[in-house]
Each structure stands twice: as C-alpha cells, then as structure tokens.
C-alpha cells in the first residue's frame, strides 16, 4: 500500500517535470524560429502565461547604472488591460 502511494507520487513528480521540460522546449523552439524578436518574445510570454494560468506575463530590462527598469514585453489574457505603457522607467534604486 505504501509502495503504491510512493509510485503515484513519483509518477506525479515525473509528469510535472516532463511538463516543465516540454514547455521549455516549446519556448526555445519558438525563439529560435522567429526572425522577429518582438513577435518571438510575445509568443514566448503567451506560452508562459498560459502555462501558469496567469492574467499577464512581463519581461523587464534593468539599467543598473541609472537604477531604473523598463517593461519591454508583456502578454495579457483576453479582457485584461495591458500595463506596459505605465511600467516604463520605474526607479528601483531608492526602494
């Protein structure tokens, strides 16, 4: 009985790891196939957002010299308002 439970738990862990690896492979494939980086990044964020069943996914680029960050890419679920225009040149050095 205990061995059966362990086998079920092991199967769940293996299935989860496989799901993560398949998603990562899909992301890598998408980025390598897109000639347009912006389209590729947006597609990548869509996959990540859907994988985690979230409303949005972002990429921020930090400028460590100026202590600011910019939202460079964003993917939002249908019906969700994008925030990319409001997340530009956010100062994080003093926070």
């Amino acid at each position: 009985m205990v061995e059966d439970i362990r086998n079920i738990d092991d199967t769940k862990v293996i299935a989860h790891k496989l799901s993560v690896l398949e998603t990562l492979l899909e992301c890598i494939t998408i980025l390598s196939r897109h000639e347009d980086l912006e389209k590729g990044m947006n597609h990548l964020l869509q996959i990540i957002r859907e994988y985690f069943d979230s409303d949005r996914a972002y990429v921020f680029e930090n400028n460590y010299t100026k202590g600011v960050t910019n939202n460079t890419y964003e993917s939002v679920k249908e019906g969700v308002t994008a925030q990319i225009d409001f997340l530009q040149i956010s100062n994080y050095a003093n926070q």
Side-chain angles (χ1 to χ4, degrees), residues 35-49:
E35 291 184 19
D36 182 333
L37 178 62
E38 186 168 342
K39 286 181 183 177
M41 286 298 293
N42 288 329
H43 194 175
L44 171 88
L45 287 175
Q46 177 186 347
I47 291 167
I48 292 169
R49 181 180 51 74

Side-chain angles (χ1 to χ4, degrees), residues 63-82:
N63 180 323
Y64 295 105
T65 304
K66 295 180 180 180
V68 297
T69 187
N70 290 306
N71 181 197
T72 50
Y73 300 99
E74 177 184 34
S75 172
V76 295
K77 187 183 261 186
E78 187 175 329
V80 174
T81 304

Side-chain angles (χ1 to χ4, degrees), residues 21-33 40 43-45 47-48:
L21 291 174
E22 288 172 339
T23 302
L24 287 173
L25 180 59
E26 183 179 3
C27 291
I28 292 166
T29 301
I30 285 168
L31 281 179
S32 68
R33 287 188 180 162
H43 194 175
L44 171 88
L45 287 175
I47 291 167
I48 292 169

Side-chain angles (χ1 to χ4, degrees), residues 13-25:
V13 168
I14 291 168
H16 176 71
K17 287 181 179 182
L18 179 59
S19 174
V20 169
L21 291 174
E22 288 172 339
T23 302
L24 287 173
L25 180 59

